Each structure stands twice: as structure tokens, then as C-alpha cells.
Amino acid sequence: MEICTPFRICDHTARFELMADEVFRRYQRRWKPRTMRVNRSYLRNQILPWFAGRPVGAISRTEVRRWFASLNATPAAANRSLPILSVILHEAEIDGHRPDGSNPCSGIRRYHRPGRDRFLTPEELRELGAALAKREGEAPLPTAVILLLLITGCRQGEVRALRWRNYREGHLFLPDSKTGSRTVWLSSAAQRLLDRLPRTNEWVFPAAEGDRPMSSDTLYAFWRSVLVVAGLRDVRLHDLRHTYASLALRQGETVLAIGRLLGHRDPATTLRYTHFAPAAMRDAVEAVGSIVGA
């Protein structure tokens, strides 16, 4: 047994679940609360049923491969669980429970999943605009959220939980986006949309009750109802972000510039958003303008 510090588990035969608990404690400041919740769910449901009770230093590549193969019916969950397991075993190396460079997760290829890139066509944009116009009178705030997503390329959580103090000088100053703090440059159409909204409390899109932003359940329920009115299928809110990127590309923006607009760290991520037929994009630009009255 080694001499312990408060930040180390020193038993070389430490059980996997103890190491996992220690790693999640260490990562409380690295992972955002939502990431922590999601990762705990994968740990509980996909990882611990297989590895609980095992000495963390005895887990082999063969065992990890068998575990990963056992999750073939849920490839998305398997792909999300693998890096979590890798972090735990990497930290076990740092703590001296495993030899350096022995992480059995390294080199294991994730399950291939077909891309789900979806862009709204010019006709779909027109149908969406008409459907939003029909719903605006009864649901002005959810309608404004959808429009703002389309003309800014922001993530739904960034818009839905927006505070008025983060909107000034023609910009959105987002302190805690998915990739950290970032500044969103707003078009004149986006500024006009925001300036028309009532300022009833700190939230731009407040919930109907309580001092909190509109819930994701409320937004997604509204989105589903809009799709029914528009006659659209298989369209996610996130597809508005894809469409925004493609329109920006058609307008002559570079991939690097679009990546900064979207808050991407990796240009390769941006490239996934920018496949769109030039003729369709030309019409779509006009369709987006007509939606927001620009």
C-alpha cells in the first residue's frame, strides 16, 4: 500500500467503481452540470453493469472489446460510453493503478453511424415561415425562438435561456455556451426581432410561471406542432443550424468564418454543416429573408 494523499486512491487492487467515483469527483469543475448528469447516466447504465467489482488495474483490452461488442444494439450509447471509460482508466494510470500507456480503450474504433445532416429546402423554408406566421399570434415567444435560431445559427439552449443582459450593442454575449464563452454577431433582422420583444424580467424568453427561462419541453412541443402545420417530417430544431451554415456559405462566407459564427472549435465540424446545392441556397436566402420580413 502506498502513502496516500487526499486526492489519490492508493490500493493497487482498487475496485473499478471506486476509481469511477473518484474521477467523477475530480471532473466536477471540468464537465458542465448537464455533461456530468449525462455521463453519470452512461456510467450507471452501460459501464458499471460490466466492470463493477473488477480491479481497475486488471481490466484488459480483450475485456473492453467484449464490453463494447455487447453494446452493439445501442451504438450511440456505446460511442458515448467509451470515452467515459477511457477517462476513468487514464486517471487510473495517473494514480499508479495501471502501467503508463496501458489504457485498453485506445485504438478501439467506435461504431459507424450514418450522418444525419439535414437542410431545409427553399420550399420547406417557405412552408415553415407560413406555419410560424399562423402560430405567432397565440405563441409569440416560441415563434420568436424558432426565428432567432434560424437567423443566428445558435443552439436552442443558447437562445431559449438567453438573458437580456447578454444582449447589447448588436451582439449576444454568451458566457457559457457548449464550447465556452462566445460572442454572437446579430444581423439587423435578428436585432429587430429582439427589440420587438417585451422585457418583463431578466429572461428574454421566460417561462409562463416562475423566474426561469422557457423549458425545452415547451419549445419542442411547439416545434412539433409547427411541423404538423407546415407538413414537414423528420426535421429537428438542430437542422435550422445546418441550414444557417449552408446559407452563410452560399453568401460567400469562409468555413473558418462560419465556424466562428457557429461557435465551433474544429473546422472539420463546420464542414459537416455546409453541403447544399448552390441553386437551392440561392432560393433559400430569399426564403429566409421573407420569413423574417427582412
Side-chain angles (χ1 to χ4, degrees):
M1 183 79 69
E2 295 180 7
I3 298 174
C4 295
T5 72
F7 301 100
R8 289 174 63 97
I9 302 170
C10 301
D11 185 356
H12 285 289
T13 62
R15 295 194 307 275
F16 174 85
E17 60 269 28
L18 297 180
M19 189 70 229
D21 284 344
E22 171 67 7
V23 170
F24 272 71
R25 186 193 65 77
R26 295 176 189 176
Y27 274 66
Q28 283 181 345
R29 293 186 178 181
R30 293 195 196 182
W31 290 337
K32 294 183 178 180
R34 183 180 182 279
T35 301
M36 179 64 75
R37 290 194 300 272
V38 170
N39 287 354
R40 282 197 181 279
S41 175
Y42 286 117
L43 174 68
R44 181 174 60 254
N45 297 317
Q46 275 74 36
I47 300 175
L48 286 179
W50 186 285
F51 295 104
R54 296 280 290 126
V56 71
I59 295 173
S60 67
R61 183 179 297 273
T62 298
E63 188 171 2
V64 171
R65 287 187 181 278
R66 288 175 179 169
W67 162 76
F68 198 61
S70 75
L71 299 175
N72 66 332
T74 55
N79 289 345
R80 290 291 298 273
S81 300
L82 181 62
I84 299 170
L85 177 62
S86 182
V87 166
I88 294 170
L89 296 179
H90 174 71
E91 292 291 319
E93 289 183 24
I94 293 174
D95 281 5
H97 302 314
R98 301 182 59 88
D100 290 345
S102 69
N103 192 333
C105 297
S106 61
I108 295 181
R109 299 183 63 179
R110 301 186 189 188
Y111 289 102
H112 174 72
R113 302 180 66 217
R116 175 53 174 80
D117 295 343
R118 175 74 159 85
F119 308 92
L120 276 73
T121 66
E123 179 59 30
E124 288 174 332
L125 283 169
R126 285 189 284 269
E127 293 297 334
L128 175 62
L132 288 171
K134 290 179 181 178
R135 298 297 310 279
E136 185 174 14
E138 60 185 277
L141 291 183
T143 298
V145 172
I146 302 301
L147 290 173
L148 203 57
L149 291 175
L150 182 57
I151 60 179
T152 64
C154 286
R155 302 174 179 89
Q156 65 85 13
E158 294 171 340
V159 170
R160 181 176 52 78
L162 185 65
R163 289 177 165 89
W164 282 114
R165 68 170 180 261
N166 299 130
Y167 168 50
R168 58 187 184 274
E169 301 170 356
H171 304 81
L172 300 181
F173 297 92
L174 305 179
D176 191 31
S177 72
K178 183 177 180 181
T179 54
S181 62
R182 73 183 185 99
T183 300
V184 178
W185 293 65
L186 298 177
S187 65
S188 57
Q191 293 179 56
R192 287 196 299 271
L193 189 157
L194 286 168
D195 291 340
R196 290 197 300 263
L197 296 176
R199 300 197 179 202
T200 56
N201 59 35
E202 66 170 315
W203 305 103
V204 178
F205 302 104
E209 297 180 356
D211 183 19
R212 60 182 185 272
M214 178 188 302
S215 70
S216 58
D217 288 344
T218 296
L219 180 60
Y220 280 106
F222 175 76
W223 175 244
R224 289 191 293 270
S225 71
V226 168
L227 293 182
V228 171
V229 174
L232 298 176
R233 296 181 178 180
D234 194 32
V235 181
R236 306 167 303 171
L237 271 179
H238 196 71
D239 295 329
L240 301 183
R241 187 166 159 85
H242 288 236
T243 302
Y244 171 87
S246 294
L247 297 177
L249 181 69
R250 177 63 183 87
Q251 289 297 94
E253 296 294 342
T254 66
V255 170
L256 180 60
I258 295 171
R260 295 193 65 179
L261 290 172
L262 297 177
H264 288 160
R265 290 177 177 172
D266 186 352
T269 303
T270 309
L271 287 172
R272 294 178 48 247
Y273 286 68
T274 53
H275 303 293
F276 211 129
M281 285 190 289
R282 196 161 40 243
D283 292 339
V285 169
E286 297 302 324
V288 172
S290 66
I291 288 175
V292 298

